[in-house]
Amino acid sequence: VQVKVPDGKQFYDPAQQFNRELTMLLIKAFFDRGRPVKKKGDGIRVLDTFASSGLKAIRLARELDFVDTVVANAPDPHPVELIKNNVELNAAKDKNVRWIVEPHQGTAQGTMYKSLTLGKPFHVIDLDCNGFATPHFDIAVQSVADRGLLFVTCTDLSILCATSPGTCFARYGGLPVKGEACHE
């Protein structure tokens, strides 16, 4: 997968490369063993809630041959245009990417509510937000299909590791304990 991003406009945390690889591996394993669906046309829908360049959505479309739709959601118009451009860049190598990846502008919650009201749940929801994911939990759980997958990644682990107990209590209603397993 190739993506073009404007200088300074996108943030890629090298540590999250492992997270992206693990996500791909878990989806493949789940649909190979845990779910009887394994072919295109079975309606497998995936939501990338905070797609900034479309990297993960394009990887999902290219590497998972059983996925029918990947909604690459972004709240602002600039990332949506970037996603469209990156889809076209990758469609030169794999025409299916153009038909599988759907760039979408909207809030993560709004996109999930819409799928819920239309009766079209997502089989996989990747909730990888900048900061804490608590505001999205309720609708994400409702919007994922029965026997589906919900991935949640939070980037505010320092708060959960007792660096700021007051903020942790305000956001999560709990008091963190500093210890060896705090990042787990």
Side-chain angles (χ1 to χ4, degrees):
V1 171
Q2 289 182 317
V3 291
K4 290 184 180 179
V5 294
D7 291 336
K9 297 289 184 184
Q10 301 295 316
F11 171 73
Y12 288 103
D13 183 355
Q16 290 302 315
Q17 181 176 355
F18 176 75
N19 179 32
R20 288 188 295 270
E21 296 297 328
L22 186 60
T23 299
M24 297 298 292
L25 180 65
L26 289 171
I27 293 172
K28 286 178 187 178
F30 180 76
F31 282 93
D32 274 343
R33 301 195 186 264
R35 190 177 167 93
V37 178
K38 186 65 175 128
K39 63 185 187 301
K40 190 169 266 336
D42 286 333
I44 301 299
R45 300 180 71 235
V46 180
L47 173 62
D48 183 1
T49 54
F50 293 95
S52 57
S53 66
L55 172 65
K56 193 181 293 183
I58 294 167
R59 277 196 67 191
L60 289 161
R62 289 193 67 196
E63 295 178 30
L64 303 177
D65 60 351
F66 53 88
V67 170
D68 289 305
T69 306
V70 180
V71 176
N73 186 73
D76 300 313
H78 174 73
V80 173
E81 282 303 312
L82 187 58
I83 293 166
K84 288 178 184 176
N85 293 339
N86 285 325
V87 164
E88 289 304 316
L89 175 68
N90 285 276
K93 295 178 187 170
D94 183 349
K95 300 285 185 213
N96 287 332
V97 170
R98 182 179 293 123
W99 313 120
I100 296 172
V101 178
E102 294 181 4
H104 181 267
Q105 182 182 345
T107 64
Q109 290 177 339
T111 302
M112 289 184 278
Y113 275 117
K114 184 177 178 182
S115 78
L116 185 63
T117 58
L118 293 175
K120 296 173 72 177
F122 291 100
H123 298 90
V124 178
I125 296 178
D126 187 4
L127 184 57
D128 185 359
C129 50
N130 186 13
F132 57 102
T134 311
H136 308 288
F137 282 158
D138 182 48
I139 188 59
V141 169
Q142 293 180 58
S143 300
V144 71
D146 288 343
R147 297 185 67 211
L149 292 172
L150 174 60
F151 293 96
V152 180
T153 304
C154 298
T155 58
D156 62 346
L157 284 181
S158 64
I159 291 170
L160 299 174
C161 292
T163 58
S164 181
T167 305
C168 184
F169 186 78
R171 289 186 182 171
Y172 298 104
L175 296 174
V177 177
K178 195 169 208 140
E180 287 182 31
C182 69
H183 288 287
E184 303 302 324

